[in-house]
């Protein structure tokens, strides 16, 4: 199994930026595909983005349409940490953001996840 710990949430004004981090307790490269989810107030938890492993340390990301061009997922193998860089934030981005992982190399935007972090609050003010 893998333990996930998110950090980096906070309060930011609309148009601002924030970077979330997800530290994994086990080596995830090639073994665990990962993703970011979010749950706005009063709404269901939904997918934001995923990363899937290719050859070596390469990976590719998928994003939901609402964050394309604004959010970027990246992974630091040395730190075993997944990041979500969020730019041009909007009030509708306000949510608890969760890091997740699944066994295997591939995670689509519809993949069930096996492991979850505790969540970190992101609030975007207008």
């Amino acid at each position: 199994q893998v333990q996930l710990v998110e950090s980096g949430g906070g309060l930011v004004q609309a148009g601002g930026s924030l970077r979330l981090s997800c530290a994994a307790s086990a080596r995830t490269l090639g073994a665990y595909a990962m993703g970011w989810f979010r749950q706005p107030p009063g709404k269901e938890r939904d997918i934001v983005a995923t990363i899937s492993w290719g050859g070596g340390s390469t990976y590719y990301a998928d994003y939901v349409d609402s964050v394309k061009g604004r959010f970027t997922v990246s992974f630091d193998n040395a730190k075993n940490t997944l990041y979500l860089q969020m730019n041009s934030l909007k009030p509708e981005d306000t949510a608890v953001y969760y890091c997740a992982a699944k066994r295997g190399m591939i995670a689509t935007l519809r993949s069930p996840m096996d492991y979850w972090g505790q969540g970190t609050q992101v609030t975007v003010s207008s």
Side-chain angles (χ1 to χ4, degrees), residues 52-105:
S52 300
W53 299 112
S57 62
T58 63
Y59 59 89
Y60 59 92
D62 292 319
Y63 303 89
V64 296
D65 288 344
S66 60
V67 307
K68 286 181 179 177
R70 299 190 299 122
F71 290 11
T72 303
V73 176
S74 61
F75 184 80
D76 187 331
N77 187 52
K79 299 183 183 298
N80 212 34
T81 298
L82 182 74
Y83 300 96
L84 182 66
Q85 177 67 47
M86 304 184 294
N87 299 324
S88 302
L89 283 162
K90 305 174 181 179
E92 50 262 46
D93 295 320
T94 294
V96 177
Y97 282 71
Y98 296 90
C99 177
K102 66 178 293 292
R103 295 180 295 273
M105 296 176 60

Side-chain angles (χ1 to χ4, degrees), residues 2-9 19-28 32-37 49 51 53 73-85 97-102 113 115-120:
V2 59
Q3 294 175 329
L4 307 171
V5 180
E6 302 103 325
S7 62
R19 188 176 76 159
L20 306 183
S21 299
C22 173
S25 65
R27 177 181 174 86
T28 61
Y32 297 92
M34 303 182 72
W36 287 99
F37 291 71
I51 61 165
W53 299 112
V73 176
S74 61
F75 184 80
D76 187 331
N77 187 52
K79 299 183 183 298
N80 212 34
T81 298
L82 182 74
Y83 300 96
L84 182 66
Q85 177 67 47
Y97 282 71
Y98 296 90
C99 177
K102 66 178 293 292
M113 295 295 186
Y115 308 100
W116 295 87
Q118 83 287 352
T120 185

